[in-house]
Amino acid sequence: MVKTCFSALALAACAMTAAVAAPVLNSPDRHVAVTLHSTAGGALSYSISRDGKPVLLASSLGLQLQGADLASALTLTATSKARFINDQYQMAVGKKSSISYRANEQTYTVRNPQQQAMDIVFRVSNDGVAFRYIVAEPSLPHKKLIQERTTFALPPAAKAWLQPIAVAQTGWGRTNPSYEEHYQMDIPVGMPSPSPAGWVFPALFKSGDNWVAISEAGMDGSFQASRLAPESLGGIYSIGNPMAAEVYPGGGLLAEVDGTLTSPWRLLALGPLKTVVNSTLGTDLAAPAIAFDKQLVKPGHASWSWALMKDDATVYDVQKKFIDYAADMHWDYTLIDADWDRKIGYDKIKELVGYAAAKNVGILLWYNSSGPWNETEYSPKNQLLTHEQRVAEFKRLRDMGVKGVKIDFFNGDGQSMIAYYIDILRDAADAGLLVNFHGATLPRGWTRTWPNLMTMEAVRGMEFTTFEQADEDKMPTHAAMLPFARNLFDPMDFTPMVFGDIPKIKRSSSNGFELATSVLYISGIQHFAEIPEGMATVPAYVKSFLQELPRSWDDSRLLDGYPGQYAVIARRSGDTWYIAGINATGADKTLTLDLSFSNAGQGTIIGDAERSFTQRSIATGKKVAVTIKPHGGFVIKL
């Protein structure tokens, strides 16, 4: 349709709404395209297509700062030449060990009527789009963020898989938010969040034939962690802010800097589901690794008593038993959880560290991060709040021979709280300690920047299934959602795998399902929930599988799956492929898996019959048919 203007007033209106399109920025393979639109009225937006089909409709751009409106009445004043990004890096923890990131990058400079400038940097790779804002405006030396105006406009027929974020300082001990809610799956776009706090990243959508995962990366402590706002009328999602309480005491909520303000990257992995799940954009866009002794970067597996035995097990004799358990399983660590300082004490912990070292097992110790922002009483508490405290405590641990720390109960996503995470990581790195954050935010690519960060919780993990039957009943569906969202880019301490009984809970998953999670989920240190008594019931071939299971992966790929229903993922270590599959539905799932990528002539599959296992050899050829029972699973070793 041609729009026609008949009067001077109408001509002015047409001039204000006529769109001026910047040059299109394409991915290296030219399948993905981003177009920046600027109207004569100053509205700035972008749209994304793949193979000519819309993925994201015209979506807003801009920042509002104190003293500078860079979200309206903008003029596009400069467009840089496109440049090719070719980045190679190594990861100790993740889907791949050696990663190559290639993208085309272009910078657009816009100015408001006051001639204040902002750069918007776009990158387009074969697996998605990323952009960030840079404000270096010299007339505004102090830059305070009021609101980011970025939106993501999904087509009206799109569907969403989203996790609401809990209201700050609610829940047990006022420990929310911790990214520990259940997902809303396959819902229409535009459905408001059940929580006024909004939706967490990564946010997953299906837009026509394409899937889209929205998240962010490149968090250096100067910016708050963002989310999607609770309201999304018409399928238009906007960047949301942390709630006012989500700060370190006395610290800031939103970004506020002297000099240049640089936002994190807003990223959209997009394409077929396999492209999205195989994407590494979450770390591609993170800052390069700090200097850290590679000899200390040791991913591994850990025994852990608290999952099934809870607080009463944090005593000397039980922890010694779990060190023996780790040694028997050829695992690398034993985690000693909350209240060890009161129930065991530093001197006896030092004895356990020495005992474990003689068995080639490292000790990890739990800490409470919190000051006054919640009501938790578990200890050690109030010992990591300042740089001076951390330096002293981490030196003490290092001198004792402790390998790492699990730090729990953080206070959300405000800028000052994100800076607190970064400060802890830096001080732990200086002390040569590994880190696991719990009751925590999403890592957003930190495992690339901080090689000592092994894993983070930020998930409704297995421990919730030990509290209430309702959680256990939902577990299979929840577990089948995680590879497509929470564990998409970042390591996840779900604390998986139980073969025996959960006290006072009827388990809903089969043993094959549980075994599959040992491969399906990525975590730098995988803390297995099973205790020695449960492990004693499994066949020798299952125990051997877990003794030999790799600690890190060289390559990964999605073979088949659908969010919340089933997932089959292959991971390679050296020349050996491990394939894990789970079925969260109530019916048998028969799949034909193409295994030609493995170049293996034969392999072994461990399947299940509810609470028992089966093992058989398979001739792989190119395709193998596998039937997964309801709430069942399998692993294949090639």
Side-chain angles (χ1 to χ4, degrees), residues 475-483 487 490-497 513-514 516-524 526 553 567 569 571 580 582:
M475 187 278 293
T477 300
H478 179 65
M481 180 69 218
L482 299 176
N487 209 196
D490 296 297
M492 174 185 75
D493 197 16
F494 184 80
T495 63
M497 205 174 71
F513 188 112
E514 294 293 312
T517 61
S518 69
V519 174
L520 200 65
Y521 296 152
I522 294 285
S523 182
Q526 195 78 273
W553 303 107
I569 290 179
R571 305 198 191 280
I582 58 173

PDB file of all heavy atoms in Angstrom, residues 475-483 487 490-497 513-514 516-524 526 553 567 569 571 580 582:
ATOM      1  N   MET A 475       9.650 -32.213  38.556  1.00  0.00           N
ATOM      2  CA  MET A 475      11.066 -32.242  38.233  1.00  0.00           C
ATOM      3  C   MET A 475      11.380 -32.697  36.819  1.00  0.00           C
ATOM      4  O   MET A 475      12.191 -32.063  36.123  1.00  0.00           O
ATOM      5  CB  MET A 475      11.823 -33.092  39.254  1.00  0.00           C
ATOM      6  CG  MET A 475      13.354 -33.045  39.106  1.00  0.00           C
ATOM      7  SD  MET A 475      14.012 -34.144  37.840  1.00  0.00           S
ATOM      8  CE  MET A 475      13.651 -35.745  38.568  1.00  0.00           C
ATOM      9  N   PRO A 476      10.786 -33.796  36.285  1.00  0.00           N
ATOM     10  CA  PRO A 476      11.179 -34.218  34.940  1.00  0.00           C
ATOM     11  C   PRO A 476      10.980 -33.138  33.877  1.00  0.00           C
ATOM     12  O   PRO A 476      11.866 -32.904  33.038  1.00  0.00           O
ATOM     13  CB  PRO A 476      10.289 -35.443  34.689  1.00  0.00           C
ATOM     14  CG  PRO A 476      10.036 -35.993  36.053  1.00  0.00           C
ATOM     15  CD  PRO A 476       9.884 -34.780  36.929  1.00  0.00           C
ATOM     16  N   THR A 477       9.813 -32.473  33.914  1.00  0.00           N
ATOM     17  CA  THR A 477       9.554 -31.410  32.942  1.00  0.00           C
ATOM     18  C   THR A 477      10.524 -30.255  33.123  1.00  0.00           C
ATOM     19  O   THR A 477      11.062 -29.704  32.149  1.00  0.00           O
ATOM     20  CB  THR A 477       8.106 -30.917  33.088  1.00  0.00           C
ATOM     21  OG1 THR A 477       7.214 -31.999  32.856  1.00  0.00           O
ATOM     22  CG2 THR A 477       7.807 -29.808  32.083  1.00  0.00           C
ATOM     23  N   HIS A 478      10.762 -29.880  34.368  1.00  0.00           N
ATOM     24  CA  HIS A 478      11.712 -28.810  34.671  1.00  0.00           C
ATOM     25  C   HIS A 478      13.109 -29.186  34.182  1.00  0.00           C
ATOM     26  O   HIS A 478      13.812 -28.370  33.560  1.00  0.00           O
ATOM     27  CB  HIS A 478      11.699 -28.573  36.179  1.00  0.00           C
ATOM     28  CG  HIS A 478      12.647 -27.522  36.654  1.00  0.00           C
ATOM     29  ND1 HIS A 478      12.521 -26.198  36.313  1.00  0.00           N
ATOM     30  CD2 HIS A 478      13.730 -27.597  37.472  1.00  0.00           C
ATOM     31  CE1 HIS A 478      13.484 -25.499  36.895  1.00  0.00           C
ATOM     32  NE2 HIS A 478      14.234 -26.324  37.600  1.00  0.00           N
ATOM     33  N   ALA A 479      13.506 -30.425  34.450  1.00  0.00           N
ATOM     34  CA  ALA A 479      14.838 -30.882  34.048  1.00  0.00           C
ATOM     35  C   ALA A 479      15.010 -30.852  32.536  1.00  0.00           C
ATOM     36  O   ALA A 479      16.099 -30.559  32.025  1.00  0.00           O
ATOM     37  CB  ALA A 479      15.086 -32.289  34.581  1.00  0.00           C
ATOM     38  N   ALA A 480      13.925 -31.149  31.803  1.00  0.00           N
ATOM     39  CA  ALA A 480      13.986 -31.140  30.343  1.00  0.00           C
ATOM     40  C   ALA A 480      13.920 -29.734  29.767  1.00  0.00           C
ATOM     41  O   ALA A 480      14.112 -29.554  28.562  1.00  0.00           O
ATOM     42  CB  ALA A 480      12.857 -31.996  29.767  1.00  0.00           C
ATOM     43  N   MET A 481      13.659 -28.750  30.591  1.00  0.00           N
ATOM     44  CA  MET A 481      13.663 -27.354  30.159  1.00  0.00           C
ATOM     45  C   MET A 481      15.066 -26.748  30.243  1.00  0.00           C
ATOM     46  O   MET A 481      15.452 -25.900  29.430  1.00  0.00           O
ATOM     47  CB  MET A 481      12.692 -26.559  31.046  1.00  0.00           C
ATOM     48  CG  MET A 481      12.579 -25.082  30.719  1.00  0.00           C
ATOM     49  SD  MET A 481      11.771 -24.806  29.133  1.00  0.00           S
ATOM     50  CE  MET A 481      12.733 -23.418  28.522  1.00  0.00           C
ATOM     51  N   LEU A 482      15.847 -27.187  31.205  1.00  0.00           N
ATOM     52  CA  LEU A 482      17.092 -26.502  31.552  1.00  0.00           C
ATOM     53  C   LEU A 482      18.153 -26.471  30.448  1.00  0.00           C
ATOM     54  O   LEU A 482      18.844 -25.461  30.300  1.00  0.00           O
ATOM     55  CB  LEU A 482      17.675 -27.110  32.832  1.00  0.00           C
ATOM     56  CG  LEU A 482      16.761 -26.991  34.060  1.00  0.00           C
ATOM     57  CD1 LEU A 482      17.376 -27.705  35.257  1.00  0.00           C
ATOM     58  CD2 LEU A 482      16.483 -25.530  34.397  1.00  0.00           C
ATOM     59  N   PRO A 483      18.321 -27.525  29.632  1.00  0.00           N
ATOM     60  CA  PRO A 483      19.328 -27.416  28.570  1.00  0.00           C
ATOM     61  C   PRO A 483      19.011 -26.355  27.529  1.00  0.00           C
ATOM     62  O   PRO A 483      19.902 -25.917  26.791  1.00  0.00           O
ATOM     63  CB  PRO A 483      19.307 -28.828  27.925  1.00  0.00           C
ATOM     64  CG  PRO A 483      18.746 -29.724  28.970  1.00  0.00           C
ATOM     65  CD  PRO A 483      17.742 -28.884  29.696  1.00  0.00           C
ATOM     66  N   ASN A 487      20.849 -23.589  31.343  1.00  0.00           N
ATOM     67  CA  ASN A 487      22.161 -24.182  31.086  1.00  0.00           C
ATOM     68  C   ASN A 487      22.620 -23.978  29.647  1.00  0.00           C
ATOM     69  O   ASN A 487      23.573 -24.599  29.190  1.00  0.00           O
ATOM     70  CB  ASN A 487      22.109 -25.673  31.406  1.00  0.00           C
ATOM     71  CG  ASN A 487      23.434 -26.279  31.849  1.00  0.00           C
ATOM     72  OD1 ASN A 487      23.580 -27.508  31.850  1.00  0.00           O
ATOM     73  ND2 ASN A 487      24.400 -25.486  32.226  1.00  0.00           N
ATOM     74  N   ASP A 490      25.688 -21.006  30.302  1.00  0.00           N
ATOM     75  CA  ASP A 490      26.449 -20.912  31.548  1.00  0.00           C
ATOM     76  C   ASP A 490      26.385 -22.201  32.357  1.00  0.00           C
ATOM     77  O   ASP A 490      25.364 -22.896  32.351  1.00  0.00           O
ATOM     78  CB  ASP A 490      25.893 -19.776  32.412  1.00  0.00           C
ATOM     79  CG  ASP A 490      26.057 -18.420  31.753  1.00  0.00           C
ATOM     80  OD1 ASP A 490      27.206 -18.018  31.532  1.00  0.00           O
ATOM     81  OD2 ASP A 490      25.038 -17.757  31.484  1.00  0.00           O
ATOM     82  N   PRO A 491      27.468 -22.521  33.094  1.00  0.00           N
ATOM     83  CA  PRO A 491      27.445 -23.713  33.950  1.00  0.00           C
ATOM     84  C   PRO A 491      26.379 -23.578  35.025  1.00  0.00           C
ATOM     85  O   PRO A 491      26.047 -22.479  35.474  1.00  0.00           O
ATOM     86  CB  PRO A 491      28.851 -23.750  34.552  1.00  0.00           C
ATOM     87  CG  PRO A 491      29.334 -22.339  34.481  1.00  0.00           C
ATOM     88  CD  PRO A 491      28.727 -21.765  33.236  1.00  0.00           C
ATOM     89  N   MET A 492      25.847 -24.714  35.466  1.00  0.00           N
ATOM     90  CA  MET A 492      24.676 -24.740  36.344  1.00  0.00           C
ATOM     91  C   MET A 492      24.879 -25.807  37.412  1.00  0.00           C
ATOM     92  O   MET A 492      25.042 -26.988  37.093  1.00  0.00           O
ATOM     93  CB  MET A 492      23.436 -25.043  35.505  1.00  0.00           C
ATOM     94  CG  MET A 492      22.152 -25.258  36.266  1.00  0.00           C
ATOM     95  SD  MET A 492      20.813 -25.751  35.148  1.00  0.00           S
ATOM     96  CE  MET A 492      21.259 -27.473  34.808  1.00  0.00           C
ATOM     97  N   ASP A 493      24.854 -25.402  38.670  1.00  0.00           N
ATOM     98  CA  ASP A 493      25.007 -26.358  39.763  1.00  0.00           C
ATOM     99  C   ASP A 493      23.625 -26.859  40.187  1.00  0.00           C
ATOM    100  O   ASP A 493      23.083 -26.454  41.211  1.00  0.00           O
ATOM    101  CB  ASP A 493      25.739 -25.711  40.937  1.00  0.00           C
ATOM    102  CG  ASP A 493      26.282 -26.757  41.912  1.00  0.00           C
ATOM    103  OD1 ASP A 493      26.354 -27.939  41.523  1.00  0.00           O
ATOM    104  OD2 ASP A 493      26.620 -26.393  43.042  1.00  0.00           O
ATOM    105  N   PHE A 494      23.083 -27.771  39.379  1.00  0.00           N
ATOM    106  CA  PHE A 494      21.780 -28.372  39.664  1.00  0.00           C
ATOM    107  C   PHE A 494      21.884 -29.419  40.766  1.00  0.00           C
ATOM    108  O   PHE A 494      20.887 -29.789  41.367  1.00  0.00           O
ATOM    109  CB  PHE A 494      21.242 -29.016  38.373  1.00  0.00           C
ATOM    110  CG  PHE A 494      19.859 -29.587  38.483  1.00  0.00           C
ATOM    111  CD1 PHE A 494      18.749 -28.757  38.405  1.00  0.00           C
ATOM    112  CD2 PHE A 494      19.661 -30.947  38.657  1.00  0.00           C
ATOM    113  CE1 PHE A 494      17.461 -29.274  38.501  1.00  0.00           C
ATOM    114  CE2 PHE A 494      18.374 -31.482  38.743  1.00  0.00           C
ATOM    115  CZ  PHE A 494      17.274 -30.642  38.672  1.00  0.00           C
ATOM    116  N   THR A 495      23.096 -29.893  41.046  1.00  0.00           N
ATOM    117  CA  THR A 495      23.374 -30.979  42.005  1.00  0.00           C
ATOM    118  C   THR A 495      22.556 -32.220  41.682  1.00  0.00           C
ATOM    119  O   THR A 495      21.704 -32.642  42.459  1.00  0.00           O
ATOM    120  CB  THR A 495      23.149 -30.525  43.465  1.00  0.00           C
ATOM    121  OG1 THR A 495      21.776 -30.179  43.670  1.00  0.00           O
ATOM    122  CG2 THR A 495      24.006 -29.322  43.800  1.00  0.00           C
ATOM    123  N   PRO A 496      22.812 -32.843  40.534  1.00  0.00           N
ATOM    124  CA  PRO A 496      21.933 -33.905  40.032  1.00  0.00           C
ATOM    125  C   PRO A 496      22.250 -35.284  40.597  1.00  0.00           C
ATOM    126  O   PRO A 496      23.223 -35.482  41.309  1.00  0.00           O
ATOM    127  CB  PRO A 496      22.237 -33.874  38.535  1.00  0.00           C
ATOM    128  CG  PRO A 496      23.687 -33.507  38.482  1.00  0.00           C
ATOM    129  CD  PRO A 496      23.886 -32.512  39.599  1.00  0.00           C
ATOM    130  N   MET A 497      21.394 -36.224  40.266  1.00  0.00           N
ATOM    131  CA  MET A 497      21.619 -37.666  40.310  1.00  0.00           C
ATOM    132  C   MET A 497      21.379 -38.320  41.661  1.00  0.00           C
ATOM    133  O   MET A 497      22.201 -38.223  42.564  1.00  0.00           O
ATOM    134  CB  MET A 497      23.031 -38.006  39.824  1.00  0.00           C
ATOM    135  CG  MET A 497      23.155 -39.413  39.280  1.00  0.00           C
ATOM    136  SD  MET A 497      24.782 -39.723  38.563  1.00  0.00           S
ATOM    137  CE  MET A 497      25.808 -39.760  40.035  1.00  0.00           C
ATOM    138  N   PHE A 513      17.187 -41.810  33.760  1.00  0.00           N
ATOM    139  CA  PHE A 513      16.999 -40.361  33.716  1.00  0.00           C
ATOM    140  C   PHE A 513      18.051 -39.689  34.598  1.00  0.00           C
ATOM    141  O   PHE A 513      18.708 -38.727  34.184  1.00  0.00           O
ATOM    142  CB  PHE A 513      15.585 -40.030  34.207  1.00  0.00           C
ATOM    143  CG  PHE A 513      15.157 -38.601  34.062  1.00  0.00           C
ATOM    144  CD1 PHE A 513      14.166 -38.250  33.161  1.00  0.00           C
ATOM    145  CD2 PHE A 513      15.708 -37.594  34.857  1.00  0.00           C
ATOM    146  CE1 PHE A 513      13.741 -36.937  33.024  1.00  0.00           C
ATOM    147  CE2 PHE A 513      15.294 -36.282  34.735  1.00  0.00           C
ATOM    148  CZ  PHE A 513      14.308 -35.947  33.822  1.00  0.00           C
ATOM    149  N   GLU A 514      18.205 -40.206  35.818  1.00  0.00           N
ATOM    150  CA  GLU A 514      19.160 -39.610  36.758  1.00  0.00           C
ATOM    151  C   GLU A 514      20.588 -39.709  36.234  1.00  0.00           C
ATOM    152  O   GLU A 514      21.357 -38.743  36.316  1.00  0.00           O
ATOM    153  CB  GLU A 514      19.036 -40.298  38.115  1.00  0.00           C
ATOM    154  CG  GLU A 514      17.711 -40.073  38.816  1.00  0.00           C
ATOM    155  CD  GLU A 514      17.524 -38.631  39.238  1.00  0.00           C
ATOM    156  OE1 GLU A 514      18.437 -38.043  39.840  1.00  0.00           O
ATOM    157  OE2 GLU A 514      16.439 -38.075  38.936  1.00  0.00           O
ATOM    158  N   ALA A 516      21.542 -39.872  33.169  1.00  0.00           N
ATOM    159  CA  ALA A 516      21.703 -38.991  32.005  1.00  0.00           C
ATOM    160  C   ALA A 516      22.053 -37.567  32.404  1.00  0.00           C
ATOM    161  O   ALA A 516      22.778 -36.875  31.677  1.00  0.00           O
ATOM    162  CB  ALA A 516      20.423 -39.006  31.175  1.00  0.00           C
ATOM    163  N   THR A 517      21.576 -37.105  33.558  1.00  0.00           N
ATOM    164  CA  THR A 517      21.867 -35.723  33.959  1.00  0.00           C
ATOM    165  C   THR A 517      23.350 -35.498  34.223  1.00  0.00           C
ATOM    166  O   THR A 517      23.820 -34.359  34.187  1.00  0.00           O
ATOM    167  CB  THR A 517      21.059 -35.326  35.207  1.00  0.00           C
ATOM    168  OG1 THR A 517      21.398 -36.186  36.304  1.00  0.00           O
ATOM    169  CG2 THR A 517      19.566 -35.393  34.943  1.00  0.00           C
ATOM    170  N   SER A 518      24.101 -36.570  34.471  1.00  0.00           N
ATOM    171  CA  SER A 518      25.542 -36.416  34.706  1.00  0.00           C
ATOM    172  C   SER A 518      26.256 -35.938  33.451  1.00  0.00           C
ATOM    173  O   SER A 518      27.337 -35.338  33.539  1.00  0.00           O
ATOM    174  CB  SER A 518      26.145 -37.738  35.181  1.00  0.00           C
ATOM    175  OG  SER A 518      26.150 -38.706  34.146  1.00  0.00           O
ATOM    176  N   VAL A 519      25.668 -36.184  32.288  1.00  0.00           N
ATOM    177  CA  VAL A 519      26.228 -35.740  31.011  1.00  0.00           C
ATOM    178  C   VAL A 519      25.450 -34.549  30.462  1.00  0.00           C
ATOM    179  O   VAL A 519      26.025 -33.631  29.868  1.00  0.00           O
ATOM    180  CB  VAL A 519      26.207 -36.900  29.987  1.00  0.00           C
ATOM    181  CG1 VAL A 519      26.656 -36.426  28.602  1.00  0.00           C
ATOM    182  CG2 VAL A 519      27.070 -38.053  30.471  1.00  0.00           C
ATOM    183  N   LEU A 520      24.154 -34.563  30.680  1.00  0.00           N
ATOM    184  CA  LEU A 520      23.281 -33.565  30.076  1.00  0.00           C
ATOM    185  C   LEU A 520      23.584 -32.158  30.578  1.00  0.00           C
ATOM    186  O   LEU A 520      23.519 -31.182  29.822  1.00  0.00           O
ATOM    187  CB  LEU A 520      21.821 -33.926  30.392  1.00  0.00           C
ATOM    188  CG  LEU A 520      20.740 -33.318  29.510  1.00  0.00           C
ATOM    189  CD1 LEU A 520      20.851 -33.821  28.093  1.00  0.00           C
ATOM    190  CD2 LEU A 520      19.366 -33.649  30.088  1.00  0.00           C
ATOM    191  N   TYR A 521      23.918 -32.026  31.862  1.00  0.00           N
ATOM    192  CA  TYR A 521      24.109 -30.715  32.463  1.00  0.00           C
ATOM    193  C   TYR A 521      25.591 -30.350  32.524  1.00  0.00           C
ATOM    194  O   TYR A 521      26.440 -31.173  32.868  1.00  0.00           O
ATOM    195  CB  TYR A 521      23.523 -30.666  33.870  1.00  0.00           C
ATOM    196  CG  TYR A 521      22.026 -30.849  33.921  1.00  0.00           C
ATOM    197  CD1 TYR A 521      21.413 -31.393  35.040  1.00  0.00           C
ATOM    198  CD2 TYR A 521      21.207 -30.483  32.850  1.00  0.00           C
ATOM    199  CE1 TYR A 521      20.032 -31.550  35.103  1.00  0.00           C
ATOM    200  CE2 TYR A 521      19.837 -30.640  32.889  1.00  0.00           C
ATOM    201  CZ  TYR A 521      19.246 -31.180  34.027  1.00  0.00           C
ATOM    202  OH  TYR A 521      17.897 -31.340  34.071  1.00  0.00           O
ATOM    203  N   ILE A 522      25.872 -29.090  32.208  1.00  0.00           N
ATOM    204  CA  ILE A 522      27.232 -28.560  32.267  1.00  0.00           C
ATOM    205  C   ILE A 522      27.451 -27.880  33.607  1.00  0.00           C
ATOM    206  O   ILE A 522      26.709 -26.979  34.003  1.00  0.00           O
ATOM    207  CB  ILE A 522      27.471 -27.537  31.145  1.00  0.00           C
ATOM    208  CG1 ILE A 522      27.410 -28.205  29.766  1.00  0.00           C
ATOM    209  CG2 ILE A 522      28.811 -26.824  31.334  1.00  0.00           C
ATOM    210  CD1 ILE A 522      28.614 -29.015  29.413  1.00  0.00           C
ATOM    211  N   SER A 523      28.494 -28.317  34.314  1.00  0.00           N
ATOM    212  CA  SER A 523      28.909 -27.663  35.561  1.00  0.00           C
ATOM    213  C   SER A 523      30.388 -27.906  35.745  1.00  0.00           C
ATOM    214  O   SER A 523      30.844 -29.049  35.613  1.00  0.00           O
ATOM    215  CB  SER A 523      28.127 -28.226  36.758  1.00  0.00           C
ATOM    216  OG  SER A 523      28.479 -27.566  37.950  1.00  0.00           O
ATOM    217  N   GLY A 524      31.138 -26.858  36.048  1.00  0.00           N
ATOM    218  CA  GLY A 524      32.584 -27.011  36.205  1.00  0.00           C
ATOM    219  C   GLY A 524      32.950 -27.996  37.287  1.00  0.00           C
ATOM    220  O   GLY A 524      33.886 -28.787  37.145  1.00  0.00           O
ATOM    221  N   GLN A 526      30.716 -30.796  39.215  1.00  0.00           N
ATOM    222  CA  GLN A 526      29.391 -31.425  39.287  1.00  0.00           C
ATOM    223  C   GLN A 526      29.250 -32.044  40.676  1.00  0.00           C
ATOM    224  O   GLN A 526      29.930 -33.010  41.015  1.00  0.00           O
ATOM    225  CB  GLN A 526      29.271 -32.491  38.212  1.00  0.00           C
ATOM    226  CG  GLN A 526      27.860 -32.977  37.927  1.00  0.00           C
ATOM    227  CD  GLN A 526      27.063 -32.020  37.080  1.00  0.00           C
ATOM    228  OE1 GLN A 526      26.447 -31.115  37.616  1.00  0.00           O
ATOM    229  NE2 GLN A 526      27.053 -32.217  35.776  1.00  0.00           N
ATOM    230  N   TRP A 553      34.432 -30.829  28.617  1.00  0.00           N
ATOM    231  CA  TRP A 553      34.031 -31.279  27.286  1.00  0.00           C
ATOM    232  C   TRP A 553      34.741 -30.477  26.197  1.00  0.00           C
ATOM    233  O   TRP A 553      34.928 -29.269  26.334  1.00  0.00           O
ATOM    234  CB  TRP A 553      32.520 -31.152  27.126  1.00  0.00           C
ATOM    235  CG  TRP A 553      31.761 -31.908  28.168  1.00  0.00           C
ATOM    236  CD1 TRP A 553      31.067 -31.397  29.229  1.00  0.00           C
ATOM    237  CD2 TRP A 553      31.647 -33.342  28.275  1.00  0.00           C
ATOM    238  NE1 TRP A 553      30.511 -32.413  29.978  1.00  0.00           N
ATOM    239  CE2 TRP A 553      30.855 -33.608  29.418  1.00  0.00           C
ATOM    240  CE3 TRP A 553      32.112 -34.410  27.514  1.00  0.00           C
ATOM    241  CZ2 TRP A 553      30.535 -34.916  29.820  1.00  0.00           C
ATOM    242  CZ3 TRP A 553      31.801 -35.707  27.913  1.00  0.00           C
ATOM    243  CH2 TRP A 553      31.020 -35.944  29.049  1.00  0.00           C
ATOM    244  N   ALA A 567      15.173 -34.155  25.735  1.00  0.00           N
ATOM    245  CA  ALA A 567      16.440 -33.596  25.275  1.00  0.00           C
ATOM    246  C   ALA A 567      17.440 -34.716  25.084  1.00  0.00           C
ATOM    247  O   ALA A 567      17.546 -35.617  25.930  1.00  0.00           O
ATOM    248  CB  ALA A 567      16.979 -32.582  26.282  1.00  0.00           C
ATOM    249  N   ILE A 569      21.533 -34.818  24.027  1.00  0.00           N
ATOM    250  CA  ILE A 569      22.723 -34.010  23.753  1.00  0.00           C
ATOM    251  C   ILE A 569      23.943 -34.912  23.720  1.00  0.00           C
ATOM    252  O   ILE A 569      24.088 -35.823  24.547  1.00  0.00           O
ATOM    253  CB  ILE A 569      22.897 -32.913  24.820  1.00  0.00           C
ATOM    254  CG1 ILE A 569      21.794 -31.857  24.648  1.00  0.00           C
ATOM    255  CG2 ILE A 569      24.272 -32.259  24.736  1.00  0.00           C
ATOM    256  CD1 ILE A 569      21.841 -30.731  25.658  1.00  0.00           C
ATOM    257  N   ARG A 571      28.156 -35.035  23.850  1.00  0.00           N
ATOM    258  CA  ARG A 571      29.329 -34.276  24.296  1.00  0.00           C
ATOM    259  C   ARG A 571      30.577 -35.137  24.067  1.00  0.00           C
ATOM    260  O   ARG A 571      30.572 -36.339  24.314  1.00  0.00           O
ATOM    261  CB  ARG A 571      29.200 -33.894  25.764  1.00  0.00           C
ATOM    262  CG  ARG A 571      27.922 -33.124  26.081  1.00  0.00           C
ATOM    263  CD  ARG A 571      28.016 -32.385  27.403  1.00  0.00           C
ATOM    264  NE  ARG A 571      26.729 -31.862  27.833  1.00  0.00           N
ATOM    265  CZ  ARG A 571      26.158 -30.752  27.378  1.00  0.00           C
ATOM    266  NH1 ARG A 571      26.782 -30.040  26.459  1.00  0.00           N
ATOM    267  NH2 ARG A 571      24.982 -30.346  27.837  1.00  0.00           N
ATOM    268  N   ALA A 580      23.549 -38.301  26.065  1.00  0.00           N
ATOM    269  CA  ALA A 580      22.574 -38.445  27.143  1.00  0.00           C
ATOM    270  C   ALA A 580      21.211 -37.987  26.661  1.00  0.00           C
ATOM    271  O   ALA A 580      21.097 -36.971  25.965  1.00  0.00           O
ATOM    272  CB  ALA A 580      22.997 -37.636  28.361  1.00  0.00           C
ATOM    273  N   ILE A 582      16.886 -37.674  27.959  1.00  0.00           N
ATOM    274  CA  ILE A 582      15.822 -37.814  28.954  1.00  0.00           C
ATOM    275  C   ILE A 582      14.474 -37.553  28.294  1.00  0.00           C
ATOM    276  O   ILE A 582      14.371 -36.788  27.336  1.00  0.00           O
ATOM    277  CB  ILE A 582      15.998 -36.860  30.162  1.00  0.00           C
ATOM    278  CG1 ILE A 582      16.033 -35.396  29.702  1.00  0.00           C
ATOM    279  CG2 ILE A 582      17.248 -37.211  30.944  1.00  0.00           C
ATOM    280  CD1 ILE A 582      16.024 -34.393  30.859  1.00  0.00           C
TER     281      ILE A 582
END
